[in-house]
Amino acid sequence: MQTAGVICEYNPFHLGHARQLGLIRQQLGPEATIVCLMSGYFVQRGEPALYPPRLRAEAAVRSGADLVLELPLPWSLASAEGFAYGAVSILDALGC
């Protein structure tokens, strides 16, 4: 079984995000697992998220994600390189 990892903020979740999840599902098939690693109450540039993580995660799950995990705050607030490094490291450790 394949597992796809998506690094995201979903600030806010929109139709393009839903389309992305749908395309991943279409390419990998119904048995694949889609894991989203999403920033929490604060997004990459240190700004507060528009909606709480629970609402953004719920939108992702309703649109095809199987699991939404919160990216730890130090990585969420890091530079673009730090944000990417932290997120990719976590998804790699999960086998995505």
Side-chain angles (χ1 to χ4, degrees):
M1 177 166 60
Q2 292 181 304
T3 303
V6 178
I7 300 167
C8 54
E9 291 189 321
Y10 296 151
N11 187 41
F13 190 88
H14 56 70
L15 291 177
H17 295 128
R19 178 165 165 71
Q20 177 191 43
L21 293 171
L23 288 171
I24 293 168
R25 178 72 62 208
Q26 182 181 12
Q27 287 183 335
L28 298 182
E31 298 301 316
T33 301
I34 301 174
V35 177
C36 295
L37 187 56
M38 183 184 78
S39 55
Y41 286 98
F42 293 91
V43 295
Q44 184 182 0
R45 289 154 301 283
E47 301 169 354
L50 295 174
Y51 296 100
R54 183 188 59 79
L55 293 178
R56 294 181 287 137
E58 182 180 330
V61 169
R62 287 180 184 221
S63 296
D66 295 298
L67 176 65
V68 180
L69 301 172
E70 186 172 335
L71 182 65
L73 185 64
W75 297 122
S76 290
L77 298 179
S79 65
E81 294 83 5
F83 182 95
Y85 176 80
V88 169
S89 297
I90 291 168
L91 289 175
D92 183 53
L94 292 172
C96 298

